[in-house]
Amino acid sequence: MLFTYRCDGCSRHIRGVCAHCKHEMLQQELPSVPGVIAAVSYDSTARHLVHGLKFHNHRGIAALFAEVMVERLSLNLELANVVTWAPTSKHRAHERGHDQAELIARAVSFRLGVPCRMLLRRTSSTSQTGQSRNARLIGPTFLARACSDVGQVLLIDDVVTTGSTLGHAATALREAGAIRVTCAAFAATPAPSERR
Ligand SMILES: [Zn+2]
């Protein structure tokens, strides 16, 4: 079958993600979000790719995200004894059959050779989508398992907006005994003042 496959980033007739999209992600400036390191801006390519992972379950994208994050954010073994993720609401994960943040965390852990463990549970069930900026600033809350044995945690999410979700999750991990928490996201939405 000709033309069955399309790049998730730009719809070129290519299986997987095309070289053009990958190059674009590797070359752009790093976005800046307080307290979080993020690999790319949540522009049209990143949006399409996240969409492909989230809603079409194209799991190869998680491996690509991990590759881009490890390279652009210089993620390494000194940063983490364990990789974890900020879980999406149970309802959303159930609807899709997977949690995209977990898929990315597992791909990063595989790439770094560091174990991936589920350390967090969401205690508020609201999802970020469709909420006002104020509601998002308050964000979801998390409970962490005892972390006194894990030391340094690399905490992963797919897209970060204000950083509040990862901030809450990181606080929960620290309160549970983690010594250092590094928050890393694949993509960051621009701050309101930078939006065009
Ligand atoms: Zn492409």
Side-chain angles (χ1 to χ4, degrees):
M1 288 279 284
L2 274 179
F3 301 142
T4 308
Y5 302 111
R6 280 176 181 273
C7 166
D8 279 292
C10 65
S11 299
R12 277 185 175 85
H13 292 292
I14 278 173
R15 187 171 192 171
V17 177
C18 77
H20 176 86
C21 285
K22 202 168 156 183
H23 182 78
E24 192 188 297
M25 286 191 283
L26 292 173
Q27 296 307 312
Q28 61 175 262
E29 263 182 53
L30 281 178
S32 84
V33 183
V36 180
I37 49 174
V40 300
S41 291
Y42 196 48
D43 59 9
S44 115
T45 303
R47 194 178 298 269
H48 285 121
L49 290 172
V50 168
H51 198 276
L53 177 62
K54 231 171 171 173
F55 301 111
H56 302 297
N57 203 9
H58 292 173
R59 295 191 179 210
I61 293 173
L64 172 72
F65 285 2
E67 184 187 339
V68 170
M69 287 173 77
V70 167
E71 182 169 335
R72 299 208 7 112
L73 305 175
S74 307
L75 303 180
N76 60 57
L77 291 172
E78 285 168 24
L79 217 61
N81 307 112
V82 65
V83 178
T84 195
W85 67 96
T88 190
S89 72
K90 265 191 184 153
H91 174 68
R92 299 258 165 183
H94 183 74
E95 249 174 22
R96 295 179 197 136
H98 64 269
D99 182 337
Q100 69 277 1
E102 176 182 358
L103 296 180
I104 300 167
R106 293 203 178 279
V108 168
S109 104
F110 179 76
R111 215 170 169 87
L112 292 179
V114 169
C116 186
R117 280 172 59 191
M118 184 177 183
L119 297 175
L120 290 159
R121 191 160 61 79
R122 223 177 235 253
T123 50
S124 61
S125 58
T126 47
S127 162
Q128 296 257 325
T129 317
Q131 286 189 19
S132 70
R133 186 173 160 84
N134 280 343
R136 285 202 308 269
L137 282 171
I138 297 160
T141 51
F142 296 92
L143 256 186
R145 284 166 197 243
C147 290
S148 44
D149 61 327
V150 301
Q152 309 197 103
V153 180
L154 179 58
L155 171 62
I156 304 281
D157 207 353
D158 55 345
V159 182
V160 63
T161 303
T162 60
S164 72
T165 299
L166 282 177
H168 283 130
T171 302
L173 289 167
R174 279 191 220 101
E175 284 173 359
I179 293 164
R180 187 168 74 160
V181 182
T182 303
C183 300
F186 167 64
T189 57
S193 58
E194 293 168 27
R195 278 186 194 141
R196 278 168 288 171

